[in-house]
Amino acid sequence: MNERTEQVTAYGELLQDAICDGLEAFEPTVRFREDRWERPGGGGGRSRVLADGETFEKAGVGFSAVHGELPEAAARSLGAGDGGTFFATGVSLVLHPLNPFVPIVHLNVRYFELNGGADRWFGGGIDLTPIYVNPADAAHFHGSLKSLLDPFGADRYPAYKRTCDEYFYIPHRAEMRGIGGIFYDHLHAVDPADWQAHFALMRAVGDGFLSAYAPLVAAHRADPYGERERDWQLVRRGRYAEFNLVYDRGTTFGLRTGGRTESILMSLPPLARWVYDVHPEPGSPEADTLRLLQPGHDWIPA
Amino acid sequence: MNERTEQVTAYGELLQDAICDGLEAFEPTVRFREDRWERPGGGGGRSRVLADGETFEKAGVGFSAVHGELPEAAARSLGAGDGGTFFATGVSLVLHPLNPFVPIVHLNVRYFELNGGADRWFGGGIDLTPIYVNPADAAHFHGSLKSLLDPFGADRYPAYKRTCDEYFYIPHRAEMRGIGGIFYDHLHAVDPADWQAHFALMRAVGDGFLSAYAPLVAAHRADPYGERERDWQLVRRGRYAEFNLVYDRGTTFGLRTGGRTESILMSLPPLARWVYDVHPEPGSPEADTLRLLQPGHDWIPA
């Protein structure tokens, strides 16, 4: 550990605590269960899962800080040639609400150092996967992400929204995983001033999560729904699992380089359905959602 | 089409019919629904799905015969350099029974030609994924596969069982997907006598499917079960989905090279569950199954 990795690690632990506290406010009885784990090669983490709540059917919020010799497969994937040492820390969450009108959400903020900090960079993002796309909710969510990025420059939100849209496209379904959000990676920071600015961005994203997402939970967790909405939720969760297992870099990289499987797969839905060749009735809310899951939408009204 | 591709195609269509007939014998009311499709680049297929039956919660049996210019990604993956033309035909099935005591099963038999037959080969296999491993059923299933291979040489069953065990290992779970079966690939056949022998093997595997699997359905489809067995089934189906989406070559190759998504993903379970860090109670039937899903089991009693 050096001064940088200590600061980011300390922030990650606080962020995990704050988010778990904020989510538990929606749960009258169920609490997060924490699983502390150590990585054989160095470091470890705290995986927290809340299951079968009144609001969240499954909520996984993970913190980890790991270090050691870079595994060969990881070095290849990072373009780090012969390997060396690495340090990686981050907070990652996926929430699967029970009510189909509350969207699935994903956050990740992370920091890497190679070879004692000779190279170092930040990455992260927040994105939303509604079961039924609600344009007003989408406007709130994207507006909230724009507000937290604007202090870092007006070009940030459009750039990170675009990166997010590119990333969360499912080619084999020809649709987006959800309505996107913001996503950034490889914010390299060799210069200390850059490092401070990137770390401030990480904190803004982390600290801004609850105000972007919690209002949607509050607004919809008691919305009435029936079997039809539940079925559609299970089908959309199947698409979520497909994206994560086939394309998501964090997931596939983690599984193939010996990451901690249970922590990586906390993101998978509590229950998911696969039905052959689903085609919602034209004009239905489900068909409307599929139309809104085509790429190229701007969610903040002009 | 040439004489070879015509013969294999005709066999594939007959095999699909025979298997669907055999499976419908377990269904008093529900029938397979057929979806005929065409591939824009050449050829097409017949996807057949039976859903919400009394015996099968979801059964997908696909036949396809496609040809044309080899897509670039496919050429790379096949080591076919600059591409050229291809022909591929096969029958593929995955059955997800409703009763947790009836195992999931998978069959695939396929035939490829490159550049009008300059290179041509067969591949295929059958493997079983019980929710609860039952050694007597495993002995019947493997014994049946051994019997159908023995006429082709006593070395076939042990070799193809080993290949199957290697293929269906899930590294990130450190367990087998199921109890294996037989699996072979790249049986090249430039010589006509080889070709006839390999085609005969394909037919033996296809024709032997029902006698290997149907007795397990007949024996267990009315076994009593409750919520505990259903839950375990959904968790095991989650592992099945993980294997297919992360590792299965047919699935990942198909999705990445523009295959027909709905036909490729017919294999995914109708319903699946992901629970954080499941550990069955020591000595329970679920723990017993996990022990038997470790590699290295011989299923045919000596």
Side-chain angles (χ1 to χ4, degrees):
Chain A
M1 297 282 268
N2 56 47
E3 203 183 321
R4 294 181 306 269
T5 59
E6 273 171 20
Q7 281 184 65
V8 184
T9 301
Y11 171 70
E13 292 181 320
L14 289 172
L15 176 64
Q16 187 193 31
D17 291 343
I19 289 176
C20 289
D21 286 349
L23 298 175
E24 283 183 346
F26 292 109
E27 294 294 349
T29 50
V30 176
R31 290 287 167 266
F32 277 96
R33 183 164 74 82
E34 180 175 279
D35 206 3
R36 287 183 186 245
W37 50 271
E38 288 187 12
R39 181 176 167 275
R46 313 188 304 202
S47 294
R48 290 185 188 163
V49 177
L50 183 154
D52 301 319
E54 287 186 25
T55 302
F56 298 106
E57 194 172 334
K58 182 178 177 186
V61 184
F63 160 83
S64 66
V66 298
H67 58 86
E69 293 296 319
L70 199 59
E72 197 184 315
R76 257 201 318 276
S77 170
L78 292 171
D82 297 335
T85 64
F86 81 102
F87 171 90
T89 189
V91 170
S92 205
L93 71 81
V94 173
L95 311 180
H96 290 284
L98 182 60
N99 190 305
F101 294 106
V102 183
I104 305 167
V105 73
H106 163 241
L107 163 142
N108 176 268
V109 287
R110 56 188 182 271
Y111 175 64
F112 284 93
E113 290 203 350
L114 291 184
N115 299 314
D119 193 4
R120 47 198 199 231
W121 69 92
F122 292 87
I126 303 180
D127 72 282
L128 198 74
T129 305
I131 306 306
Y132 290 93
V133 176
N134 174 328
D137 288 350
H140 161 79
F141 182 77
H142 274 269
S144 183
L145 299 179
K146 180 175 186 304
S147 302
L148 71 85
L149 287 178
D150 277 350
F152 298 88
D155 55 336
R156 295 289 180 111
Y157 170 74
Y160 296 171
K161 177 201 184 285
R162 195 166 48 242
T163 311
C164 189
D165 282 346
E166 285 161 8
Y167 184 74
F168 289 107
Y169 182 70
I170 312 183
H172 70 262
R173 296 291 188 181
E175 67 188 27
M176 311 292 301
R177 181 172 87 169
I179 62 154
I182 55 174
F183 187 82
Y184 58 95
D185 202 0
H186 292 286
L187 296 188
H188 288 271
V190 174
D191 180 85
D194 284 350
W195 193 90
Q196 288 297 345
H198 296 340
F199 183 35
L201 175 75
M202 176 194 198
R203 297 195 309 271
V205 171
D207 298 347
F209 170 75
L210 283 172
S211 48
Y213 181 65
L216 307 183
V217 181
H220 298 293
R221 69 185 170 130
D223 283 3
Y225 68 93
E227 205 179 322
R228 169 185 174 151
E229 291 78 16
R230 176 64 171 172
D231 273 351
W232 180 244
Q233 182 187 48
L234 298 183
V235 168
R236 299 308 306 168
R237 284 182 180 171
R239 303 288 166 99
Y240 201 90
E242 275 175 36
F243 178 87
N244 281 23
L245 294 171
V246 178
Y247 299 109
D248 185 62
R249 275 175 247 159
T251 304
T252 56
F253 177 82
L255 294 181
R256 287 169 194 278
T257 58
R260 185 172 182 268
T261 297
E262 289 297 341
S263 301
I264 297 165
L265 297 183
M266 285 202 307
S267 67
L268 293 178
L271 200 65
R273 186 186 292 290
W274 278 274
V275 179
Y276 176 76
D277 213 22
V278 179
H279 292 289
E281 209 181 313
S284 66
E286 292 80 10
D288 234 38
T289 282
L290 289 188
R291 185 178 52 76
L292 291 167
L293 291 179
Q294 283 303 301
H297 289 276
D298 284 323
W299 299 103
I300 303 177
Chain B
M1 297 281 269
N2 55 47
E3 202 184 323
R4 294 181 306 269
T5 59
E6 273 170 22
Q7 281 184 64
V8 184
T9 300
Y11 172 69
E13 292 181 319
L14 288 173
L15 177 64
Q16 187 193 31
D17 291 343
I19 289 176
C20 289
D21 286 348
L23 299 175
E24 283 183 345
F26 292 110
E27 295 293 350
T29 51
V30 177
R31 291 286 166 266
F32 277 96
R33 183 164 75 83
E34 181 176 277
D35 206 4
R36 286 181 186 248
W37 50 272
E38 286 186 14
R39 180 175 168 275
R46 313 189 302 201
S47 293
R48 291 187 188 161
V49 177
L50 184 155
D52 301 319
E54 288 186 26
T55 301
F56 298 105
E57 194 172 333
K58 182 177 177 187
V61 184
F63 159 82
S64 66
V66 297
H67 59 87
E69 293 296 319
L70 200 59
E72 197 184 316
R76 258 200 318 277
S77 171
L78 292 172
D82 296 333
T85 63
F86 81 103
F87 170 89
T89 189
V91 170
S92 206
L93 72 81
V94 173
L95 310 180
H96 290 284
L98 183 60
N99 191 304
F101 294 106
V102 183
I104 304 167
V105 75
H106 163 241
L107 163 142
N108 175 268
V109 287
R110 56 189 181 271
Y111 175 64
F112 285 94
E113 290 203 350
L114 290 184
N115 298 314
D119 194 3
R120 46 198 200 233
W121 69 94
F122 292 86
I126 304 179
D127 72 282
L128 198 74
T129 304
I131 308 305
Y132 291 94
V133 177
N134 174 327
D137 288 348
H140 161 78
F141 182 77
H142 274 269
S144 183
L145 299 180
K146 181 174 185 302
S147 302
L148 71 85
L149 288 178
D150 277 350
F152 299 88
D155 54 336
R156 294 288 179 111
Y157 170 75
Y160 296 171
K161 177 200 184 287
R162 195 168 47 243
T163 311
C164 190
D165 283 345
E166 285 162 8
Y167 184 73
F168 289 108
Y169 181 71
I170 313 181
H172 69 263
R173 295 292 188 182
E175 68 189 24
M176 309 294 300
R177 181 172 87 168
I179 62 154
I182 55 173
F183 187 82
Y184 58 96
D185 202 0
H186 291 285
L187 296 189
H188 288 269
V190 175
D191 181 86
D194 284 349
W195 192 91
Q196 288 297 347
H198 296 340
F199 182 36
L201 176 74
M202 177 195 199
R203 297 195 311 270
V205 170
D207 298 346
F209 170 75
L210 283 172
S211 49
Y213 181 65
L216 308 183
V217 181
H220 298 293
R221 68 184 171 132
D223 283 4
Y225 68 93
E227 205 179 323
R228 169 186 175 151
E229 290 79 16
R230 175 66 171 170
D231 273 352
W232 179 244
Q233 182 187 47
L234 297 183
V235 168
R236 298 308 306 168
R237 284 183 181 172
R239 301 291 166 97
Y240 201 90
E242 275 175 36
F243 178 87
N244 281 22
L245 294 171
V246 178
Y247 299 109
D248 185 62
R249 275 176 245 157
T251 304
T252 56
F253 177 82
L255 294 180
R256 286 170 194 278
T257 57
R260 184 171 184 269
T261 298
E262 289 297 339
S263 301
I264 297 165
L265 298 183
M266 285 201 308
S267 67
L268 294 178
L271 201 64
R273 187 187 290 293
W274 278 275
V275 180
Y276 177 75
D277 212 22
V278 179
H279 291 290
E281 210 182 312
S284 65
E286 292 80 10
D288 234 37
T289 282
L290 289 187
R291 185 179 53 77
L292 291 168
L293 291 179
Q294 284 302 302
H297 289 276
D298 285 322
W299 299 104
I300 302 178

